[in-house]
Amino acid sequence: MRVLVTGGTGYVGSTAVDILLTKGYSISILDDCSMGHSDNVPTGANFVQGSLLNPDDIARALVDCDAVMHFAGKSLVGESVEKPDLYHSVNVDGSRNLLDQMHVAGIKNLVFSSSAATYGEPRQVPIKEDAPTQPTNPYGATKLAIDQMITAESKARGIAAASLRYFNVAGALKSSRGWLAERHNPETHLIPNVLRSTPENPVKIFGTDWPTADGTCVRDYVHVVDLIDAHIKALLSLQLGVHEIYNLGSGDGYSVRQVVAAASAAIGYEIPTIDSPRRAGDPAVLIADISKAEEKLGWVPTHDIQAMVSDTLASFS
Ligand code: UDP
């Protein structure tokens, strides 16, 4: 089976490419390398450097493919608040183009990177897939719009699809070519920022007055290797005309201060931090109910928070 991995040069997409190749899948990649890195393309993958906003690029990338794993898109909450139109264009219009080109090529299998940001501030935690969707930022709104588009596509054109709503992805895969590290510039994610914190430039803790036990935001972290395992299980479980949604996390929440403590244990000294104002668009607590993925996909995440920070640290060396 040949799988098109959109966004296959980025952190999560390149991890998917590597694991899929190891499992014997043939791989095509479509990426404009705006966030990813062309040196992540392994030998043996067919690479189209192009954009989801260009239907011809998508058509070229889809040649001979049987399925699509769609990772490409803009994914920073803070940036989306500043540039909502950019997020709508790349994420929503780009995904519309992808669905249309899949239809032209007769490809019906899709696994999509959705997000817990679709839920917004939850009324209940842990969050189940049927919880209300009220995104608190444009990033989450674009992921929700795409999920809704995919549902419509499954009904109108009979595609087989799964949207995987990621909570917070962390850790890294050590591939045969070395670690596939998270490499964003600027980096906005908590764990890489914590691990790079110095006394001169301490990591900022965004908000210490949230309604949580220690006043900092609580998130549910999932190891990127566990996440890709769920993608493959989702791919193998697709059914024509059905769009399934799965929440992917660990089922446990960690506050920003607890993440700092885990990272301090991994690095061997107390990581310097500085209390800072809240970041726009952040909900206080996001924890996944992962029982649907466990039951329907037979998926069990196996890496804990300590493994996530240790692997992220190792991937920087
Ligand atoms: N965060 C923080 N300092 C940072 C980066 C993130 O305090 O330098 C907080 C952020 O406000 C959120 C949590 O850490 O509560 C996780 O943020 P991240 O950007 O890693 O992922 P997100 O939850 O936005 O997907």
Side-chain angles (χ1 to χ4, degrees):
M1 180 191 276
R2 177 169 288 274
V3 180
L4 171 63
V5 180
T6 74
T9 76
Y11 162 55
V12 179
S14 66
T15 304
V17 166
D18 204 85
I19 293 176
L20 286 164
L21 282 171
T22 308
K23 291 188 177 287
Y25 291 86
S26 301
I27 296 297
S28 296
I29 296 173
L30 174 66
D31 202 312
D32 64 6
C33 295
S34 57
M35 293 291 283
H37 308 270
S38 57
D39 61 6
N40 275 339
V41 176
T43 48
N46 172 29
F47 177 42
V48 173
Q49 180 155 6
S51 168
L52 287 171
L53 297 177
N54 183 345
D56 292 341
D57 291 346
I58 303 173
R60 273 195 297 137
L62 283 171
V63 170
D64 291 336
C65 289
D66 308 288
V68 177
M69 283 194 188
H70 179 28
F71 297 95
K74 301 223 142 274
S75 62
L76 303 177
V77 168
E79 185 186 52
S80 80
V81 175
E82 286 160 24
K83 301 176 185 171
D85 293 344
L86 175 70
Y87 271 64
H88 193 275
S89 166
V90 174
N91 291 2
V92 182
D93 298 344
S95 299
R96 179 70 264 159
N97 289 342
L98 177 65
L99 289 169
D100 287 343
Q101 291 305 314
M102 286 175 65
H103 178 64
V104 170
I107 298 166
K108 289 196 170 286
N109 299 307
L110 174 66
V111 178
F112 171 57
S113 298
S114 186
S115 170
T118 51
Y119 297 112
E121 189 75 59
R123 285 191 207 146
Q124 269 190 321
V125 284
I127 303 170
K128 290 176 94 71
E129 289 81 356
D130 59 4
T133 43
Q134 291 164 330
T136 53
N137 54 64
Y139 165 65
T142 64
K143 290 289 180 178
L144 180 60
I146 300 164
D147 282 348
Q148 289 167 341
M149 214 154 68
I150 294 172
T151 301
E153 196 78 0
S154 70
K155 290 184 180 142
R157 292 173 171 168
I159 67 164
S163 286
L164 306 184
R165 290 188 171 157
Y166 307 173
F167 282 62
N168 289 63
V169 187
L173 170 68
K174 189 173 190 185
S175 76
S176 53
R177 298 172 292 127
W179 287 96
L180 296 172
E182 189 168 5
R183 291 188 274 159
H184 298 129
N185 188 14
E187 184 54 75
T188 64
H189 288 132
L190 178 65
I191 292 178
N193 282 351
V194 165
L195 291 169
R196 291 199 178 106
S197 176
T198 61
E200 300 72 39
N201 197 9
V203 63
K204 291 181 179 153
I205 297 192
F206 293 142
T208 54
D209 58 350
W210 293 97
T212 60
D214 67 15
T216 67
C217 282
V218 171
R219 294 288 181 274
D220 180 341
Y221 295 85
V222 57
H223 196 289
V224 66
V225 170
D226 286 327
L227 188 85
I228 301 308
D229 178 40
H231 283 69
I232 295 171
K233 288 184 161 67
L235 177 67
L236 296 174
S237 75
L238 293 177
Q239 286 175 276
L240 288 173
V242 177
H243 177 211
E244 292 285 2
I245 292 178
Y246 297 99
N247 287 345
L248 300 181
S250 65
D252 285 324
Y254 292 87
S255 72
V256 173
R257 290 206 197 283
Q258 286 175 314
V259 170
V260 172
S264 296
I267 213 162
Y269 57 82
E270 196 167 324
I271 290 172
T273 63
I274 183 160
D275 293 354
S276 304
R278 292 181 177 190
R279 185 175 68 175
D282 267 341
V285 180
L286 292 174
I287 301 173
D289 181 325
I290 58 170
S291 52
K292 181 176 174 187
E294 287 176 323
E295 282 156 25
K296 289 195 82 159
L297 300 178
W299 177 68
V300 184
T302 59
H303 299 73
D304 63 12
I305 190 76
Q306 212 57 56
M308 291 182 232
V309 289
S310 298
D311 287 351
T312 305
L313 182 60
S315 75
F316 290 162
S317 56

